[in-house]
Amino acid sequence: MIYTDIMLDLETMGNKSNTAIVSIGVVEFNLETGETGREFYKVIDLQSCLDIGLKVQASTIYWWLQQSEVARKRICKKGEDLRSVLVAFNTWMLDCVDKVKIWGNGARFDIGILEDAYAAYSLKTPWYFRSEMDVRTLIAFKPEIKATYPMIGVEHDPIDDCKHQIGYCVETWKAINKK
């Protein structure tokens, strides 16, 4: 099967532009069927983000302290250098279709923050800007679907969050495209 969509989820140390990224998860999927494909997951060394000038917000640190122990432990593993992760993601993306749509939460969150990280290293993003899709915009058409969609896995684990987002996006897509 050819997957024409990918879901991106970042765990970060802030919610503004140029924020430090502590993990990335990406899952290929088919918006029509919900079928998922390959996954990309990396924990990122926080220091490598700080070394290139990405920022940390105190409010996000406090927020992380209130999350589950499992979620906190996952971002505290020994991470990889951010630049190496970005290069690895570019390589992973080579196996995607040329015009893949990349989904993220918010117009400036997941995709925008990852784009800022690429820019910090003067690297080209592996997606075309017109392929960026916003989960929040889609969900706005049927917010009750997300509100009642069960979470399976660990909240704030990027792969589990991607699969959760794929689930409610697929159900929303089906609901608004009923014939």
Side-chain angles (χ1 to χ4, degrees):
M1 159 151 269
I2 295 176
Y3 301 97
T4 57
D5 296 87
I6 61 171
M7 184 65 70
L8 165 68
D9 188 74
L10 302 177
E11 299 307 328
T12 66
M13 285 294 156
N15 59 14
K16 307 244 185 270
S17 295
N18 296 307
T19 197
I21 303 167
V22 289
S23 65
I24 179 174
V26 185
V27 178
E28 292 177 315
F29 73 104
N30 180 309
L31 185 60
E32 302 288 330
T33 67
E35 185 178 347
T36 60
R38 297 176 311 133
E39 300 174 1
F40 179 88
Y41 171 74
K42 299 284 184 183
V43 176
I44 299 166
D45 176 56
L46 178 58
Q47 188 61 52
S48 71
C49 294
L50 299 176
D51 290 347
I52 61 160
L54 299 181
K55 307 290 185 213
V56 171
Q57 290 176 264
S59 60
T60 303
I61 293 171
Y62 294 135
W63 178 86
W64 271 110
L65 292 171
Q66 297 170 34
Q67 302 312 306
S68 74
E69 183 178 351
V70 174
R72 288 192 320 267
K73 282 185 175 183
R74 290 189 181 173
I75 66 165
C76 290
K77 292 179 183 174
K78 174 68 177 137
E80 297 179 40
D81 176 76
L82 177 59
R83 187 180 196 290
S84 299
V85 170
L86 297 176
V87 170
F89 182 53
N90 279 11
T91 301
W92 186 88
M93 285 285 289
L94 290 175
D95 290 334
C96 293
V97 245
D98 290 338
K99 295 193 178 184
V100 68
K101 292 179 290 229
I102 183 168
W103 292 80
N105 259 317
R108 283 294 307 150
F109 195 77
D110 295 301
I111 295 170
I113 289 170
L114 190 58
E115 193 173 63
D116 291 342
Y118 274 95
Y121 286 109
S122 299
L123 294 173
K124 185 179 180 324
T125 59
W127 65 87
Y128 184 57
F129 78 96
R130 288 192 173 136
S131 300
E132 297 173 3
M133 307 300 285
D134 184 359
V135 169
R136 292 178 183 153
T137 300
L138 176 63
I139 297 314
F141 291 101
K142 292 279 188 179
E144 66 277 8
I145 293 174
K146 178 186 175 190
T148 59
Y149 199 83
M151 175 69 183
I152 298 172
V154 176
E155 282 187 282
H156 311 302
D157 171 273
I159 294 295
D160 290 347
D161 285 351
C162 279
K163 290 178 179 178
H164 181 64
Q165 290 163 193
I166 289 167
Y168 62 73
C169 282
V170 167
E171 293 306 313
T172 303
W173 183 257
K174 287 177 182 178
I176 62 177
N177 286 292
K178 282 185 182 176
K179 295 184 181 183

